[in-house]
Amino acid sequence: MGRYSGLGALGERLAQGTLEYAVVTGVFVAVIVALGALWRAATDGALSGLVEEAASHVLDGSGAIDIALF
C-alpha cells in the first residue's frame, strides 16, 4: 500500500499536486535549457550565419529578382 493510502481523497490530491509540480518543473527546466542554447548560438554567430544564408542576395540573382524576393 502507498504512503497516503489511508488518507483517501487527501492522498490522491497530494499525489496529483506532486505530479503537477514535477511536470511544471520539468517544463521550466526545458525552457531554461532552450533559452541557453539560443543564447549560445547567438553569441557564437550561428544565428547570424543562418540569416546570411537565408537572405535573398545569397541567391546571386539580378537586382530585379533580389527586389522581388523582398
Side-chain angles (χ1 to χ4, degrees):
M1 298 216 112
R3 180 176 176 180
Y4 298 110
S5 62
L7 298 176
L10 178 62
E12 291 177 12
R13 285 185 295 192
L14 288 173
Q16 181 179 354
T18 303
L19 178 64
E20 289 173 357
Y21 180 76
V23 169
V24 169
T25 302
V27 170
F28 183 71
V29 169
V31 167
I32 296 298
V33 168
L35 288 174
L38 282 173
W39 182 272
R40 175 73 69 171
T43 58
D44 290 344
L47 293 180
S48 62
L50 290 173
V51 169
E52 289 174 1
E53 289 177 15
S56 63
H57 66 272
V58 176
L59 296 177
D60 295 331
S62 66
I65 294 174
D66 209 20
I67 292 171
L69 288 173
F70 275 112

